[in-house]
Amino acid sequence: MRWERLAMVHWRYEAEVVQRLLPNGLLVDRFEDRAWVSLTPFTMSSVRGLGLVPLPPADFPETNLRTYVRLPDGRSGLWFFSLDVTAPYLLGARAIGVRYRLADLTVRERGAETFYGGRRRGAEGAGYRMRIRAGAPVEEMSALDEWLTSRWVAFSRSAGLLWLAPVHHEPWTLRHGTVGELEQTLTRSAGLPDPEPSPLVHVSPGVGPVLLGPPRPVR
């Protein structure tokens, strides 16, 4: 698959606040003693099952809310509080605890600005709308840039087991970003307090191909 037209809106949180929401076996990862939570909308395209079979639709939006975690042995990765999508077949990943939810999502570009918005289907109706402006390229990755964007494992939990899925793709091409408009209830829906008002923002045209390895239980 490819991930395109991506924004990453990052907020700092007290580590203890995030740890309370993690399953047994995962520890909150910290950068300078703080946890981070990221709202990440993008468009998925060229999705193929087993690398061979095209899966419709040809492209569709996804929005995830994630945090940064590690195992007691030091292996680090991502934990997703939610993954909102418009493609129903992705709900099959709930079998290993991946928190996919159906939502109505929009991604629209206009010059250097991209509008992202969506609302989760069902009674809860958590949603967001934001406008992101792309700025200058990130010429040299800071330690925090690297920490936030170089994660190669996604964790989930199901049937009493912690699952690990490897993720492979080229390094991100990043630009700095600024928020022109932002309203969201996804953090509150996840059990988090409202975030600080001034997030760190990254923008990327995308990466691909992205390869998701088969999930396996964490031993």
Side-chain angles (χ1 to χ4, degrees), residues 110-129:
R110 179 176 294 178
E113 288 191 332
T114 303
F115 171 83
Y116 303 92
R119 185 157 300 278
R120 198 170 291 160
R121 297 179 189 176
E124 178 195 5
Y128 76 101
R129 52 183 291 118

Side-chain angles (χ1 to χ4, degrees), residues 16-102:
E16 294 75 14
V17 170
V18 176
Q19 182 66 59
R20 288 198 293 266
L21 300 175
L22 298 180
N24 291 337
L26 282 181
L27 303 173
V28 64
D29 207 356
R30 306 171 187 233
F31 187 89
E32 296 181 348
D33 209 37
R34 299 293 293 275
W36 286 77
V37 172
S38 303
L39 173 60
T40 306
F42 60 96
T43 300
M44 192 180 294
S45 66
S46 304
V47 182
R48 292 178 178 269
L50 302 177
L52 299 172
V53 182
L55 299 177
D59 58 80
F60 56 90
E62 176 176 327
T63 297
N64 63 59
L65 184 71
R66 70 194 202 185
T67 193
Y68 304 87
V69 297
R70 59 184 174 85
L71 295 172
D73 65 11
R75 285 178 289 173
S76 64
L78 299 171
W79 173 260
F80 293 97
F81 292 117
S82 60
L83 301 98
D84 293 329
V85 292
T86 58
Y89 67 81
L90 288 175
L91 301 184
R94 289 177 176 177
I96 57 165
V98 184
R99 298 177 171 186
Y100 278 117
R101 303 281 296 274
L102 287 178

Side-chain angles (χ1 to χ4, degrees), residues 136-216:
V138 177
E139 299 287 359
E140 185 173 346
M141 297 270 278
S142 69
L144 179 56
D145 293 334
E146 189 80 28
W147 189 89
L148 288 167
T149 62
S150 298
R151 299 284 169 150
W152 313 109
V153 168
F155 294 103
S156 62
R157 189 170 181 85
S158 178
L161 294 174
L162 196 62
W163 296 81
L164 175 157
V167 182
H168 305 279
H169 61 74
E170 64 192 16
W172 293 102
T173 299
L174 296 176
R175 304 182 76 90
H176 298 286
T178 55
V179 174
E181 167 189 7
L182 175 57
E183 299 175 5
Q184 61 86 26
T185 57
L186 299 179
T187 51
R188 193 176 304 170
S189 176
L192 293 161
D194 290 339
E196 58 190 15
S198 300
L200 171 67
V201 181
H202 290 122
V203 177
S204 176
V207 293
V210 179
L211 305 177
L212 301 182
R216 61 181 187 269

